[in-house]
Amino acid sequence: MASDTEDGGEVQPTETTTDDSSLPTTAEKEEQAASTGMEIVKAGNGNAQETGGLSLNYEEARALLGRLEFQKGNVEAALCVFDGIDLQAAIQRFQPSLTDKTASKKGQTKSESGIENPATLVLEAIYLKSLSLQKLGKSTEAANQCKSVLDSVESMFQNGPPDIEQKLQETINKSVELLPEAWKQAGSHQEALASYRRGLLSQWNLDDECCTRIQKRFAAFLLYSCVEGSPPSSGSQVEGSFIPKNNVEEAILLLMVVLKKWYQGKTHWDPSVMEHLTYALSLCDQPSLLAKNLEEVLPGIYPRTERWYTLSLCYYAIGQKEVALNFLRKSLNKHENPNDIMALLLAAKICSEERHLASEGVEYARRAIKLSESSDVHLKSVGLHFLGNCLGKKSKTVSSDHQRSLLQNETLKSFSESIALDRHNPDLIFDMGVEYAEQRNMNAALRCAKEYIDAIGGSVSKGWRLLALVLSAQQRYPEAEVATNAALDETAKLDQGSLLSLKAKLKVAQSSPMEAVEAYRALLALVQTQKNSSGSSKTDAEGQNDSVSEFEIWQGLANLYSSLSIWRDAEICLQKARALKSYSAATMHAEGYMLEARDQNKEALAAYVNAFSIELEHVPSKVAIGALLCKQGSRYLPAARCFLSDALRIEPTNRMAWLHLGKVHKNDGRINDAADCFQAAVMLEESDPVESFRSLA
């Protein structure tokens, strides 16, 4: 059968035979076409030639010859051949017949003469030309050539590609993938970003795997390119759809789409997707969302212990410590991975923050130290650090003074060993300073506080707070106030809450109540600013890190006015506090104090008991109950002694508990015990800070 040339001429058919083995193979046809192409290239004209039964024009011949040179690895030779192709002229010739061919020959990959569709040949040639340029390091030229392929396709199929032949679709897919990569190599990041969006938003009929690859690369580009691109235009979005505001949000959106495809079985699992998503959600402070996605990953993808460890990190980050610890307990089970040092250290860290978990944390820390003994000095130092924290918490839960003393010595020993291995860790120095302070070794605590401030350059307020509290425990109130003012100068306005609260208490200690009231007013203004900036009332009843809640401010003002016997103002402040937190041990205690000051002892006792019922380890309420019962007569002395002893079990350095316990012993005729208690109270009063050192933890 005759084959039509592009200018309408015909070539007579060659002899045929029924023996299929005599028919030329595809490779032979391409070699024959290449030979024909060489002749045509040499002839230098674009008219159809009649050779060997094949009909080729100038662009087609160059396309075939260039493809063969590229496949042989002769990139420069291929580029020389491709340079002679006039893409726009070729497209203008192909366009009138292209739509008819694709509509009538759906899925056809070869023309009747055995040669591929002319448009497909030429477009693939330009794609290979851009690939050649990229290999030769000419990325900008490569990007421009690749862009011309996509522009040509768009001009031929203005309403989106119909059901076109497979070879052309493959060329489109490869070009859409190559374009942004070429722009990236050329350093043109904005063009790369626009090309990624064009590839995903235009109607290219990309298959799921191709689209997924582009989405993953685009997400990685958005996260790590350090180029902040403008958000997608709202005109390209469906009405009501989510429009990301920045690179990270857009990357998260892309990664979530990829994950959804995987859940639906449309693509293969790629662990890098979760790695990128973990990083992106960490930047956005969304560990709960990361945990949700980790839990949705089907079993068998992640090792169980690895998933549990990551989930524990997520839940710890959002404050759900018990949930995080439960995952670690499962992971550290003897049948799972009991020697995972990182899991042991995380478990020890979580336990070191809660008294009732301190004993469990000691075991985790010791196991981690033993495993890192000969392998990693840094991890051993971290393990000793957490061991010290756990021992310090555990010492506050034991009832025996001897046992408490042993645990406190072990705590300091662990910190010392940890510092010996990691001398420049400021957190270690800080925690050791707090431990010294709680043991009332103020000189050592002062040394640690100064060393910590020097180590971090005075940029963290908790170091200044430790210094101020230690100075206040030494009755050096003016110096403590100087340290607080220095911290205020170094701290951003929205983070000054705990410092202003400390300043108010220092004013009270210096008998300057009106200046203390002014400090509380500044605190209230700060909390209101925080609420306006965050757009929520999250600070109303819950203090955040290194901050003070509005509830605490009203409670502090109520206590201040109560100490001045200004009952009306105290009651107003208490009402404000109750409005923010209906059931609070601190509020009930303040109410009981006011009732006791008015000689309403029964009502005061009821308020103290209510406070104790709300918070079983509320030390001020226990002390107040013991003191009130001591006044009621000898029959109540055993009960009073019980409450005061329990308060000292929880807080051994509470001087008021020692004072009232001494009164109980005195009224009961135990003079020697009373003398010991009074001596302890006097010694503690000489080293009593204006605020508990526990507030630093």
Side-chain angles (χ1 to χ4, degrees):
M1 183 177 65
S3 176
D4 294 339
T5 60
E6 291 298 321
D7 59 357
E10 293 186 355
V11 176
Q12 296 298 320
T14 59
E15 246 181 320
T16 60
T17 176
T18 57
D19 185 3
D20 291 342
S21 62
S22 65
L23 294 174
T25 63
T26 301
E28 290 170 342
K29 288 181 179 179
E30 288 188 349
E31 291 288 348
Q32 186 179 13
S35 176
T36 303
M38 184 64 76
E39 296 297 326
I40 297 171
V41 170
K42 289 179 179 178
N45 65 73
N47 298 324
Q49 304 291 325
E50 298 179 11
T51 309
L54 300 177
S55 175
L56 292 173
N57 68 9
Y58 183 70
E59 283 80 11
E60 294 172 63
R62 280 189 173 273
L64 276 174
L65 181 59
R67 179 205 287 176
L68 288 172
E69 292 292 342
F70 183 86
Q71 290 172 345
K72 292 175 183 177
N74 302 327
V75 177
E76 293 184 358
L79 190 58
C80 290
V81 178
F82 290 140
D83 278 339
I85 298 176
D86 185 346
L87 176 61
Q88 297 306 318
I91 294 301
Q92 287 176 5
R93 287 198 303 274
F94 303 148
Q95 191 163 1
S97 60
L98 188 61
T99 305
D100 295 336
K101 286 184 179 180
T102 55
S104 62
K105 300 181 180 181
K106 178 180 177 182
Q108 181 176 317
T109 60
K110 299 285 182 180
S111 66
E112 292 177 356
S113 64
I115 299 300
E116 297 171 17
N117 186 300
T120 301
L121 266 177
V122 174
L123 289 172
E124 184 196 29
I126 303 302
Y127 163 73
L128 293 176
K129 179 181 179 181
S130 63
L131 207 55
S132 302
L133 289 165
Q134 185 191 38
K135 288 178 181 292
L136 294 173
K138 301 178 180 180
S139 301
T140 302
E141 296 176 48
N144 286 322
Q145 289 296 322
C146 191
K147 183 175 180 295
S148 69
V149 173
L150 298 179
D151 290 342
S152 300
V153 173
E154 282 190 336
S155 68
M156 290 188 293
F157 307 108
Q158 296 182 4
N159 296 322
D163 292 326
I164 57 179
E165 61 181 36
Q166 182 181 353
K167 189 69 175 177
L168 179 55
Q169 184 63 60
E170 288 176 1
T171 300
I172 294 173
N173 291 1
K174 292 175 182 178
S175 300
V176 172
E177 284 192 68
L178 175 62
L179 181 57
E181 303 306 314
W183 282 127
K184 282 197 297 184
Q185 291 178 9
S188 303
H189 292 138
Q190 291 298 333
E191 286 81 358
L193 187 141
S195 298
Y196 274 125
R197 287 180 180 158
R198 179 188 183 187
L200 294 174
L201 296 175
S202 299
Q203 299 299 318
W204 300 115
N205 286 351
L206 304 178
D207 59 69
D208 285 326
E209 288 298 332
C210 176
C211 187
T212 299
R213 286 194 298 270
I214 296 172
Q215 287 168 333
K216 288 190 289 189
R217 291 170 186 166
F218 188 20
F221 175 75
L222 290 167
L223 288 174
Y224 311 119
S225 67
C226 298
V227 175
E228 188 63 40
S230 58
S233 62
S234 57
S236 62
Q237 306 295 321
V238 178
E239 185 177 353
S241 62
F242 172 75
I243 301 177
K245 301 180 182 65
N246 51 49
N247 280 15
V248 177
E249 285 191 5
E250 191 169 358
I252 291 173
L253 180 61
L254 289 165
L255 294 169
M256 298 289 277
V257 170
V258 173
L259 279 178
K260 184 177 180 180
K261 287 183 183 178
W262 176 71
Y263 296 144
Q264 295 172 345
K266 296 180 178 179
T267 186
H268 298 292
W269 170 255
D270 181 357
S272 69
V273 174
M274 286 304 300
E275 293 171 6
H276 295 323
L277 187 61
T278 299
Y279 174 68
L281 291 175
S282 299
L283 292 177
C284 296
D285 194 21
Q286 291 292 331
S288 58
L289 187 56
L290 176 59
K292 178 178 179 294
N293 280 279
L294 278 169
E295 289 170 340
E296 289 177 351
V297 175
L298 296 176
I301 299 298
Y302 281 116
R304 289 190 300 177
T305 53
E306 182 181 332
R307 189 204 299 250
W308 289 336
Y309 177 72
T310 309
L311 284 170
S312 66
L313 284 172
C314 293
Y315 282 108
Y316 176 70
I318 59 178
Q320 296 188 26
K321 297 178 184 178
E322 288 286 352
V323 178
L325 188 58
N326 283 336
F327 278 116
L328 292 171
R329 286 168 178 156
K330 292 165 66 177
S331 178
L332 294 169
N333 185 282
K334 63 181 180 180
H335 300 298
E336 296 292 346
N337 193 6
N339 295 328
D340 184 346
I341 295 181
M342 299 308 295
L344 286 167
L345 290 174
L346 180 57
K349 177 177 175 59
I350 294 172
C351 292
S352 71
E353 297 171 2
E354 302 292 338
R355 280 193 189 186
H356 66 283
L357 298 172
S359 296
E360 185 180 355
V362 169
E363 298 305 315
Y364 291 134
R366 284 176 174 160
R367 284 165 58 186
I369 293 168
K370 185 177 180 181
L371 289 168
S372 60
E373 193 75 45
S374 59
S375 59
D376 195 312
V377 173
H378 172 69
L379 291 181
K380 182 179 178 182
S381 174
V382 174
L384 286 165
H385 185 184
F386 292 152
L387 176 61
N389 287 336
C390 290
L391 289 168
K393 285 286 192 301
K394 186 178 179 180
S395 69
K396 298 174 178 62
T397 63
V398 297
S399 55
S400 166
D401 291 340
H402 176 68
Q403 192 176 3
R404 182 184 303 114
S405 178
L406 289 177
L407 288 171
Q408 288 175 342
N409 290 336
E410 284 188 63
T411 299
L412 293 175
K413 181 183 176 183
S414 296
F415 283 142
S416 298
E417 290 179 5
S418 182
I419 288 177
L421 297 174
D422 190 0
R423 188 67 187 83
H424 303 291
N425 186 342
D427 289 333
L428 265 172
I429 300 169
F430 178 83
D431 286 347
M432 193 170 189
V434 173
E435 184 62 30
Y436 275 129
E438 290 190 333
Q439 294 186 28
R440 293 302 193 262
N441 186 344
M442 293 306 166
N443 290 330
L446 185 64
R447 184 176 64 252
C448 288
K450 290 179 177 178
E451 191 174 343
Y452 176 78
I453 290 172
D454 291 339
I456 50 92
S459 59
V460 181
S461 64
K462 70 178 184 179
W464 292 105
R465 286 180 61 210
L466 174 59
L467 177 61
L469 286 176
V470 171
L471 290 170
S472 73
Q474 295 177 328
Q475 315 300 314
R476 297 159 66 179
Y477 298 120
E479 294 176 64
E481 191 172 348
V482 169
T484 306
N485 290 332
L488 288 168
D489 292 338
E490 296 290 333
T491 307
K493 184 173 178 60
L494 291 178
D495 299 325
Q496 292 178 348
S498 58
L499 293 169
L500 288 172
S501 177
L502 177 58
K503 185 173 183 178
K505 293 170 184 175
L506 286 170
K507 292 295 184 182
V508 172
Q510 295 177 82
S511 302
S512 302
M514 298 314 297
E515 293 182 37
V517 171
E518 288 302 316
Y520 278 120
R521 285 178 178 170
L523 259 175
L524 285 171
L526 175 62
V527 168
Q528 188 60 47
T529 303
Q530 289 174 336
K531 284 199 286 187
N532 293 338
S533 64
S534 65
S536 68
S537 58
K538 196 164 56 173
T539 55
D540 286 354
E542 296 181 13
Q544 299 177 11
N545 289 339
D546 208 23
S547 185
V548 178
S549 69
E550 186 177 351
F551 167 80
E552 291 173 336
I553 299 170
W554 290 116
Q555 186 65 55
L557 277 170
N559 294 338
L560 173 59
Y561 286 127
S562 294
S563 66
L564 298 172
S565 299
I566 306 176
W567 307 117
R568 181 175 175 276
D569 289 349
E571 182 60 38
I572 291 173
C573 293
L574 272 184
Q575 289 176 357
K576 295 277 191 181
R578 286 194 203 99
L580 295 168
K581 190 183 285 190
S582 301
Y583 300 99
S584 165
T587 304
M588 290 292 182
H589 176 264
E591 184 179 335
Y593 178 81
M594 287 192 293
L595 291 167
E596 186 179 358
R598 297 172 183 175
D599 293 326
Q600 299 177 8
N601 291 336
K602 287 185 178 180
E603 292 81 357
L605 185 60
Y608 292 143
V609 171
N610 287 337
F612 164 66
S613 301
I614 293 171
E615 189 178 328
L616 293 178
E617 294 195 348
H618 190 250
V619 171
S621 297
K622 291 178 182 289
V623 173
I625 292 172
L628 195 56
L629 289 174
C630 182
K631 297 177 184 178
Q632 304 303 312
S634 59
R635 59 183 293 192
Y636 294 102
L637 291 179
R641 185 168 56 249
C642 180
F643 276 101
L644 292 168
S645 298
D646 196 38
L648 287 171
R649 176 189 63 80
I650 301 168
E651 192 177 320
T653 56
N654 190 297
R655 67 180 181 87
M656 295 306 297
W658 284 109
L659 176 64
H660 290 298
L661 184 59
K663 291 179 180 179
V664 169
H665 287 315
K666 179 184 176 183
N667 293 342
D668 205 21
R670 299 173 178 170
I671 304 303
N672 290 334
D673 290 341
D676 290 340
C677 291
F678 289 142
Q679 185 179 6
V682 171
M683 291 176 62
L684 288 170
E685 186 178 13
E686 293 175 356
S687 61
D688 202 26
V690 296
E691 185 176 289
S692 173
F693 289 112
R694 292 185 184 183
S695 64
L696 295 168

